[in-house]
Amino acid sequence: MNQVIFISGTPCVGKTTVANELSQRLGANLIRVNELAINKDLVLGIDDKKGYKIIDVDKLNGVLGEIIDKLDSDNLLIVEGHLSHLCLGADKVIILRVHPDILKERLSSRNYSESKIRENLEAEALDVCGAEAYDTYLDDVIEINAGDLTIDEIINQIVDVIFDKKEHAFDEINFMDWLVGI
Ligand code: ADP
Ligand code: MG
């Protein structure tokens, strides 16, 4: 049976780093949504105010769906990107979570504007990606509190999820208190 794993979360939670190493370790196919969107011409424009690419999620869903439909049996496909969870076709959706205090340092070192940093930190505290994923995927959403973990530790947890070794409860990570402090 083939298996499709989406890895999503707020910018800088470690999606790309984790997905690169995970796909290497498991010999899995890897799709980076940002690259797919550029290659397939799914970028609608640039949001002037916020400075990031606007991607046609409907078309992205279609393109991803075609790739997933064509998977051979026994193929493992990893799809990483902060829009992946808005698409269909995953068997499991991993949401990487990072406490806003840790995330702030990572976002700051990426030269994001103050307003974009704040927007992303609030999105993380409110678990926007997790809630969106839950709308579609319910119990197939697995959140990992990745802020204090090494890449290897995160990968081990995902491997456990892929091979169904671990029970996970949605919503056990809660960074809401951080919002009260700002
Ligand atoms: P994303 O793809 O989610 O935007 P990246 O994989 O590009 O995130 O990681 C963002 C930054 O955070 C990179 O500099 C990366 O090295 C660092 N990083 C990611 N995961 C960890 C981790 N578990 N521990 C320490 N640094 C990390
Ligand atoms: Mg990335």
Side-chain angles (χ1 to χ4, degrees), residues 1-5 28-29 68 71-78 89-92 161-164:
M1 208 180 70
N2 59 41
Q3 197 170 177
V4 181
I5 306 290
N29 296 311
I68 291 169
L71 277 183
D72 292 333
S73 57
D74 288 333
N75 268 15
L76 176 61
L77 174 66
I78 314 280
D91 295 297
K92 302 240 167 71
V161 169
I162 292 175
F163 296 105
D164 269 333

Side-chain angles (χ1 to χ4, degrees), residues 13-163:
V13 291
K15 301 178 293 294
T16 303
T17 312
V18 166
N20 284 347
E21 292 208 19
L22 176 69
S23 60
Q24 272 188 19
R25 195 197 289 188
L26 297 179
N29 296 311
L30 172 62
I31 292 177
R32 301 178 184 93
V33 168
N34 285 338
E35 288 178 11
L36 184 72
I38 292 167
N39 292 341
K40 299 280 180 182
D41 216 10
L42 308 178
V43 182
L44 296 174
I46 304 287
D47 183 318
D48 283 342
K49 240 164 88 194
K50 294 174 184 162
Y52 48 61
K53 293 184 207 78
I54 304 163
I55 289 171
D56 188 330
V57 177
D58 277 347
K59 282 197 185 151
L60 175 68
N61 187 32
V63 169
L64 256 184
E66 280 174 27
I67 295 171
I68 291 169
D69 284 345
K70 283 189 203 140
L71 277 183
D72 292 333
S73 57
D74 288 333
N75 268 15
L76 176 61
L77 174 66
I78 314 280
V79 179
E80 73 89 3
H82 75 286
L83 298 174
S84 61
H85 66 275
L86 298 176
C87 298
L88 300 175
D91 295 297
K92 302 240 167 71
V93 179
I94 311 279
I95 305 290
L96 299 181
R97 303 290 312 278
V98 171
H99 190 281
D101 288 339
I102 301 172
L103 197 59
K104 189 174 185 182
E105 288 171 28
R106 294 195 200 165
L107 289 163
S108 302
S109 63
R110 262 204 191 170
N111 286 335
Y112 284 133
S113 67
E114 282 301 316
S115 63
K116 196 170 173 196
I117 290 175
R118 191 187 168 88
E119 184 184 307
N120 282 319
L121 294 177
E122 287 177 4
E124 179 60 26
L126 293 168
D127 193 17
V128 170
C129 287
E132 287 172 348
Y134 186 74
D135 273 350
T136 307
Y137 286 103
L138 302 171
D139 289 346
D140 291 323
V141 179
I142 293 99
E143 297 208 352
I144 294 176
N145 194 352
D148 292 324
L149 302 180
T150 64
I151 299 296
D152 260 356
E153 288 169 331
I154 299 165
I155 288 172
N156 287 340
Q157 290 206 17
I158 299 177
V159 168
D160 283 351
V161 169
I162 292 175
F163 296 105

Side-chain angles (χ1 to χ4, degrees), residues 163-174:
F163 296 105
D164 269 333
K165 279 194 224 146
K166 200 163 180 177
E167 298 264 319
H168 273 272
F170 181 78
D171 214 9
E172 55 187 29
I173 301 161
N174 189 335

